[in-house]
Amino acid sequence: MTPETSPNQRGSVTDPAEMATSFGFQTVQKGQKQELVDDVFHKVASRYDLMNDLMSGGMHRLWKDAMVSNLNPPKRKEREWKHLDVAGGTGDIATRVVQKSDYAAKSTVCDINGSMLGVGKDRAAKAKLDQSIEFVQGNAEDLPFPDGYFDAYTIAFGIRNVPRIQRALEEAHRVLKRGGRFMCLEFSQVDVPALDKVYDLFSFHAIPPIGKAVTGDGDPYQYLVESIRKFPNQERFAHMIRKAGFERVTFRNYTGGIAALHSGWKF
């Protein structure tokens, strides 16, 4: 895959609705993006953690820990606390949530990609967490769960790959109970002078070649780097979360804005 736009021309799309036809820097037909994204994650499923290590310099592990600490799942067992992690097929967020709750929480992982779910199921079984984590294949834009079912909804480094992001946010709001919390961790817009240039150079000139050297295919990494640059920036994404019905919407930048943690509540 060759980018149609050079790094210095990139930027988050003006209209977030354009994400439905944005496959990295390429413009594709409506309905085509999901198939292309699925192919990317079929290719990288077995090396998902390596993918995020390459793209974040290993920092994604610390960011995910911070996300789950901020979520602070309850450790009491008076009632079942239900957590949904969307686009988290390998189960890394769900595992953290269950462990943080001292195994009181019940997590459901929902991912559209069967290869990612396969990796997650194997990991959960090896960690003896298969009684605490359920894996369900489903689409973030049309979740297979009833209204008001979950206490918390998380999604980490997945929402930028959803074609209709606003629809996915509305679905998140629908499946949460009143008082439920939405949290999204995603690569975002760097806001530190000079760091943005360094990050661009590393992203476009190092990540795809390293990905090719390690996995034999650099195309998935090229797409993933480009998709970050097309994703709405922090303020724009926060507006989308509010538009979906969430209140008390906030965001916190990590590592100069390389990633951002967004939070909202359903009241």
Side-chain angles (χ1 to χ4, degrees):
M1 183 192 311
T2 301
E4 296 178 355
T5 310
S6 62
N8 62 358
Q9 294 174 309
R10 59 90 182 117
S12 61
V13 289
T14 301
D15 182 358
E18 291 179 28
M19 290 295 289
T21 56
S22 170
F23 182 71
F25 290 159
Q26 298 184 52
T27 298
V28 298
Q29 295 179 351
K30 283 188 176 181
Q32 188 180 6
K33 178 176 179 176
Q34 188 63 68
E35 181 180 350
L36 294 170
V37 170
D38 284 349
D39 184 60
V40 166
F41 283 92
H42 283 308
K43 291 177 179 177
V44 305
S46 63
R47 297 180 174 90
Y48 175 76
D49 287 335
L50 173 61
M51 176 190 77
N52 279 332
D53 282 336
L54 290 176
M55 299 183 71
S56 71
M59 293 296 294
H60 75 101
R61 300 172 188 271
L62 298 178
W63 300 334
K64 288 173 181 176
D65 287 342
M67 175 188 191
V68 173
S69 292
N70 196 283
L71 180 63
N72 194 26
K75 298 178 180 179
R76 64 184 185 278
K77 294 187 177 181
E78 285 80 7
R79 71 172 182 87
E80 191 172 70
W81 190 83
K82 299 184 183 74
H83 162 244
L84 174 65
D85 187 50
V86 174
T90 60
D92 54 345
I93 297 297
T95 296
R96 285 172 166 83
V97 169
V98 169
Q99 292 174 340
K100 182 72 174 176
S101 73
D102 284 348
Y103 303 90
K106 294 293 183 182
S107 281
T108 299
V109 176
C110 182
D111 199 304
I112 199 170
N113 190 284
S115 297
M116 296 285 283
L117 287 169
V119 172
K121 288 177 182 177
D122 289 345
R123 289 184 180 179
K126 289 177 182 177
K128 298 182 178 179
L129 291 172
D130 41 342
Q131 298 301 310
S132 298
I133 304 176
E134 178 185 15
F135 292 85
V136 176
Q137 189 160 10
N139 192 328
E141 297 176 5
D142 187 18
L143 293 170
F145 308 109
D147 296 357
Y149 187 74
F150 293 99
D151 296 280
Y153 173 117
T154 58
I155 182 167
F157 306 117
I159 203 159
R160 75 181 189 282
N161 299 307
V162 175
R164 296 185 297 167
I165 294 174
Q166 194 64 53
R167 173 64 180 165
L169 293 172
E170 291 166 0
E171 277 290 274
H173 190 272
R174 178 184 69 79
V175 301
L176 279 171
K177 298 176 181 178
R178 293 207 173 275
R181 187 155 188 205
F182 167 86
M183 298 194 80
C184 176
L185 179 63
E186 187 54 86
F187 290 111
S188 200
Q189 182 172 299
V190 176
D191 65 352
V192 176
L195 178 60
D196 56 346
K197 294 180 175 61
V198 173
Y199 185 52
D200 269 356
L201 286 171
F202 174 72
S203 297
F204 287 96
H205 297 286
I207 291 176
I210 293 172
K212 184 174 183 179
V214 172
T215 69
D217 189 354
D219 284 355
Y221 298 88
Q222 184 71 46
Y223 157 70
L224 290 164
V225 167
E226 293 173 4
S227 69
I228 294 169
R229 301 318 192 278
K230 299 299 289 185
F231 186 71
N233 65 23
Q234 291 90 325
E235 292 287 356
R236 193 172 295 151
F237 186 51
H239 173 73
M240 295 175 71
I241 297 170
R242 294 186 190 98
K243 185 178 177 182
F246 289 102
E247 299 180 46
R248 289 173 56 187
V249 175
T250 60
F251 67 83
R252 175 182 300 176
N253 283 338
Y254 293 143
T255 318
I258 291 176
L261 176 64
H262 284 78
S263 172
W265 297 83
K266 178 179 177 178
F267 292 131

